[in-house]
Structure formats: C-alpha cells, structure tokens
Amino acid sequence: MTILNHESATETTSAPAPRTSTSTSTSTSTSTSESVRTRIERAKHAFSTRNVGAFLRRAQGIDLLTEGHTPQAGEVVLARVTSIGHHKRLESPVSRRQILFPGDEIVVAYGSRYAADQFLALVPEDLGPLHLAAAGGLASRVIEQHAGVGTATQIEPIGVLRDEHGPVTLARAAAHHPVDRITERRHRPAHEVPVIAVLGTSMNSGKSTVLAQLAHGLAAAGLRVAAGKTTGTGAGNDYNLFLDAGAHRVLDFTDFGYASTFQVGVDEVRDLFLSMADELAGGAEKPDVVLLEIADGVYQGETTRLLADDEFRRVVDQVAFAAGDALGAAGGVAALGALGHTPAFVSGVVTSSPLATAEARRAVDMAVVPTFDLGTADVARELVADLIGGRETDAA
C-alpha cells in the first residue's frame, strides 16, 4: 500500500542525499503530516463525518492511503469532485448545504446505499473513481438508479485517512457503539420506557414527519421525548427535524459509527437498534417515551429481518405506520400483521388527501390520523395514553 505522506517525505533530487539525523527525519515527517492535516481541514466535510474532526485533532501521524488498499464501509476518505450530477450540494457537519464545484476536495465516508427513489450503490473493492451517492456524504459506486434522477455526482479518491493506528473510521470517531452481546442482558433501560417504532411503506412515505409531529404533540402534552433514527443513509435533515419538534435528546446511526446501515449484518443491525433504544431510554434525564424511526419500507431487507426478530418485539411497545396511499396502508398493515405487528395507527403522506384518507379508513381496522394532527397535545396524548398508563401501572 502507498502512504501519501511518506511518499512526499521521501522525494529526492538527482544529487546524493545528505545524511539526515533522526531529529531531522522526524521533523520532515511531522511537517508533511501537518501538510496533509491542513489539506484535510481545508476540505468540505460531510454530515456523516461530523464526529471525525474532533477525532483528527487528537490523532497522531495523519496521512493518506493511496494504493493497494481495499476500502471498507465506514472508512473516511479525502476525495476530489470531478463532475457535478444529482447531488449538487454536500451537507456539512452542521447541516449547511455546501455548494459543490468541480475540483472541490471533500471528506466523506465509504458506505453502500439502498434508496428506491434514487440509487443502489455499493462500496467498491478498489480506490478507483466512484460517486457521491448521498448528500450527507456517502462515497459509493452507483450500480442502479431511478429513471427520474440525474447521473450521480462523480468523485475520485485522493486517499483514505490514516493515523498511527490504521485507517480512520466513523466507528473509531463515534461516541457510541452497538453493545456487544446486548441480547444477553436481562435488564435494559428500553424495557422500562415505552418505545414506539415508526415504519412506512417506502422511502418518502412520511415516516420522519410522522415521528416529528408525534414528538411535538407529546412534548406539548408535557412528556419528555427522546427520538432516534436507527437505520438508513446518514443525513442531518431528520436528526435536526426531531430536535426542532421538541425531542429533548436525539441520536441516529451515524452517532454509532455508520454512514449507512445497508448491507450491515442482521445481528449487527438488531444490536444497533437495541443499543440506541437503551441509550435513549437511560441516562439521568430518563424520557417518558422513546420514538424510533426505521428507514425505507417494510420489504427492505434489513427492515424485514429486524421486524421478524424476537428482540425487536421485546423492546417495541407500539408501531406507527406511514403510508403513501390507501392501498399502501392496507398492504403495509397486512405485511406487518404477518410479521406479528399491528400498527396502533396509520398516518403519513396518504393523509395529505381527504379522499385518500377516507379510502384508507375503509381499508384498515385502526385509526388513520392526519399527520399534522399528531402535533397537537390532545391527539398525541390520546394515542399513547394506554401505553404510558400501562407502564406507570407496571412501575407501581
């Protein structure tokens, strides 16, 4: 493998190189390391790498792996934008939309993407050209795309970030990690706090908006709400939406070291879900309720397997379902029923239309609640009254 920093440090002229002392060699290595560090600092950083900056300030021996390295999901890469396509902006660590220009250097993370409305993209097996597969900062190679979106923005790796311990990864920089053997723990915080999972028919069915409105309504009713996004592709929109809605604490999978959860093993996805539920349910400021969004649709691979897991059933007390239309509502409720879950209510994009809402109410046997009604204290409190009351009874 080639290390860019060391290549720069060993460049020579045609004249014989003078003997250098150990101190001079160390000084040169430190100088070139600092030049790489400066280059990284000047680049545009992505939301998915928002925890990497603080990590790099503590790290020693920063350089770049440029050849002979097989990228892995979660590794952080310095890349150059070569062609602007579908994603014309890069979401910053504070969710500012940074306009991209050809030639820009960006700090993003390798990861695969499953987005039915945009791209199917996979982590490549080499350091060759690839794509910006998501605005939150996902470096991946697009395999398929939706007919309605433009060609993906093209990027080329300059090098994978490395310190004295090896490649820099989101997991190494993360504040949280999936708890090892978490299913063997008999007493967990998420068993003591009501947990509501928000699911949907597909991408853009209204899941995040449903969760945010429910969080706002519950907060308005005087409840302390914690919220999280457990699967998907890293981006700041939903994270900040949940905070703005009134959740007192918010986490997502990027806080646990994942740029994306697509192609993560089923046991690891389950442990990530359970660990986030426990983290949000615990702590000094224990919430009254935890709301967790699960990305994409019921038939997405990781989602289907998670829903079928017994540990999911032990933690989740209630399911809310977001649908795009009445048929999606009916089909989704049936699909969830086959997996052992009956939604407490249906909401989402379908409720944008009074006619579609009426169709959905005829098609399913549970409440169909307009999304923005969830944001009112009375409606939100009524939807969780039995859940909260049951927990209080158990505690008594």
Side-chain angles (χ1 to χ4, degrees):
M1 76 178 51
T2 302
I3 301 177
L4 183 64
N5 177 18
H6 292 176
E7 285 185 324
S8 301
T10 55
E11 289 180 355
T12 60
T13 65
S14 58
R19 173 177 289 181
T20 57
S21 67
T22 301
S23 61
T24 302
S25 176
T26 301
S27 176
T28 302
S29 177
T30 301
S31 175
T32 51
S33 178
E34 289 303 313
S35 68
V36 171
R37 188 186 294 271
T38 299
R39 185 176 187 180
I40 293 168
E41 289 174 350
R42 289 177 176 174
K44 292 176 177 176
H45 289 236
F47 179 85
S48 64
T49 66
R50 70 188 189 281
N51 296 316
V52 172
F55 176 87
L56 292 177
R57 286 191 287 273
R58 301 188 301 269
Q60 300 295 319
I62 297 297
D63 51 33
L64 299 173
L65 301 173
T66 61
E67 292 179 2
H69 178 73
T70 301
Q72 303 295 317
E75 289 183 348
V76 181
V77 59
L78 177 67
R80 182 182 295 108
V81 177
T82 57
S83 176
I84 304 297
H86 179 70
H87 290 108
K88 297 173 173 58
R89 299 169 183 258
L90 181 71
E91 186 177 8
S92 78
V94 294
S95 290
R96 188 177 76 81
R97 300 289 180 171
Q98 305 169 101
I99 297 175
L100 292 174
F101 295 88
D104 277 354
E105 294 187 356
I106 59 177
V107 176
V108 291
Y110 279 103
S112 297
R113 188 174 192 197
Y114 180 107
D117 288 358
Q118 291 190 20
F119 303 116
L120 171 64
L122 304 176
V123 176
E125 297 182 354
D126 56 60
L127 288 173
L130 67 165
H131 303 96
L132 180 64
L138 196 69
S140 196
R141 192 165 290 164
V142 172
I143 307 300
E144 299 174 358
Q145 71 177 70
H146 191 283
V149 301
T151 303
T153 292
Q154 298 178 18
I155 61 177
E156 60 180 9
I158 298 169
V160 171
L161 276 60
R162 174 188 182 276
D163 68 2
E164 59 186 350
H165 300 295
V168 174
T169 67
L170 299 186
R172 291 181 59 199
H176 307 283
H177 301 91
V179 176
D180 187 41
R181 302 172 72 175
I182 189 170
T183 58
E184 297 179 13
R185 297 189 175 190
R186 297 182 61 186
H187 302 289
R188 303 208 311 270
H191 291 157
E192 301 172 0
V193 175
V195 175
I196 300 174
V198 179
L199 302 152
T201 52
S202 64
M203 182 180 181
N204 296 327
S205 58
K207 298 180 297 295
S208 299
T209 306
V210 166
L211 190 150
Q213 289 296 325
L214 184 58
H216 186 266
L218 293 173
L223 299 177
R224 183 181 293 274
V225 181
K229 185 159 185 172
T230 60
T231 62
T233 301
N237 289 347
D238 297 341
Y239 185 97
N240 290 305
L241 174 62
F242 299 164
L243 286 172
D244 291 344
H248 86 281
R249 189 181 184 197
V250 175
L251 291 172
D252 79 354
F253 50 89
T254 62
D255 291 307
F256 287 75
Y258 296 86
S260 164
T261 56
F262 178 47
Q263 292 203 315
V264 174
V266 59
D267 289 346
E268 191 172 350
V269 170
R270 177 203 61 206
D271 292 351
L272 168 61
F273 179 89
L274 298 177
S275 298
M276 188 182 298
D278 279 352
E279 181 63 32
L280 289 170
E285 297 183 341
K286 187 174 179 180
D288 297 304
V289 62
V290 173
L291 308 179
L292 297 174
E293 180 187 346
I294 301 173
D296 300 305
V298 173
Y299 289 137
Q300 198 271 354
E302 286 81 11
T303 300
T304 300
R305 290 189 288 271
L306 179 61
L307 293 174
D309 196 294
D310 288 339
E311 290 296 330
F312 179 89
R313 296 187 183 92
R314 293 188 182 101
V315 167
V316 173
D317 300 284
Q318 189 178 92
V319 169
F321 189 67
D325 56 26
L327 182 59
V333 168
L336 285 170
L339 292 167
H341 307 286
T342 300
F345 63 91
V346 171
S347 189
V349 172
V350 63
T351 65
S352 299
S353 163
L355 288 175
T357 301
E359 291 176 358
R361 285 174 174 155
R362 291 194 296 269
V364 299
D365 293 328
M366 65 279 303
V368 177
V369 185
T371 300
F372 293 97
D373 286 0
L374 297 172
T376 63
D378 290 344
V379 172
R381 183 188 288 278
E382 182 179 355
L383 288 171
V384 303
D386 292 342
L387 189 62
I388 300 293
R391 288 288 183 158
E392 290 173 346
T393 300
D394 289 346

